[in-house]
Amino acid sequence: MNTETIILKNLSIGYRTKAGTRVVAEGLQAAVCSGELTCLLGANGIGKSTLLRTLSAFQPALSGEILILRSEECGVRSEISLTSLSDKELSRLIGVVLTEKPDIRNMTVRELVALGRSPYTGFWGTLHDDDWQVVDEAIDAVRIPQLRERMVHTLSDGERQKVMIAKALAQQTPIIFLDEPTAFLDFPSKVEMMQLLRRLAKEGQKTIFLSTHDFELALQVADRLWLMEPSRLNVGTPRELAQSGALARYVERPGISFDAESLTVRVNSE
């Protein structure tokens, strides 16, 4: 059963500078569920990265709340504010996979994935047998056992992205945020990546939330969409947002139309 794990309550996001406060989006009300792949869509500059950074606790919200719902051992669910969590608690709760390519040499895939165990290894970072078991299980879950001993700098973009997801899995967090995980990938690799993330959400009952510009692919793979517009955040299944007209508003331009029934974009070639 999919349950809410992240709740936004009247959230405003943006930046505070010496020149004043720049509000990127405000009044955001939404929830992310476990066991689902949720994709964040929106035009360039609309605030997707700012929202993702705020959810990841990389930058503070301007106002409102981000609540995390956690299941306790007794089966009771507790609600806690993101701002009340320590860095150590956050590292055991949220895994983040960024777009930037890691500039890493002289390190194997297995060693890089093992860095995901750092929240559990203490000051000296010593890994024990059970840690290495978690690392190998993460590599197997992403289906890259053949890359285990490869040097990271020899990997393709798609292979490297899978390794970074394995690292997040080794961190054993219930929540994983990804910023443009299909960037730099060819189309078959994009499809494979999105299918992988959806499978991981379903099989592991993880909360997986990602930003993407791959509109049509998100429509086919995502369980739920967050579509940012200048004055609102639209949340729903692809079918629901198609029927509400939100997807058409986002994608349609002169020569570009959206078919709400087939969830496809049509381009006029004339």
Side-chain angles (χ1 to χ4, degrees), residues 124-135:
W124 298 107
T126 303
L127 270 68
H128 301 288
D129 289 345
D130 55 345
D131 292 305
W132 285 112
Q133 181 178 342
V134 171
V135 168

Side-chain angles (χ1 to χ4, degrees), residues 36-52:
E36 293 185 350
L37 177 63
T38 303
C39 290
L40 174 64
L41 301 171
N44 286 333
I46 199 69
K48 296 190 302 299
S49 294
T50 304
L51 176 56
L52 203 58

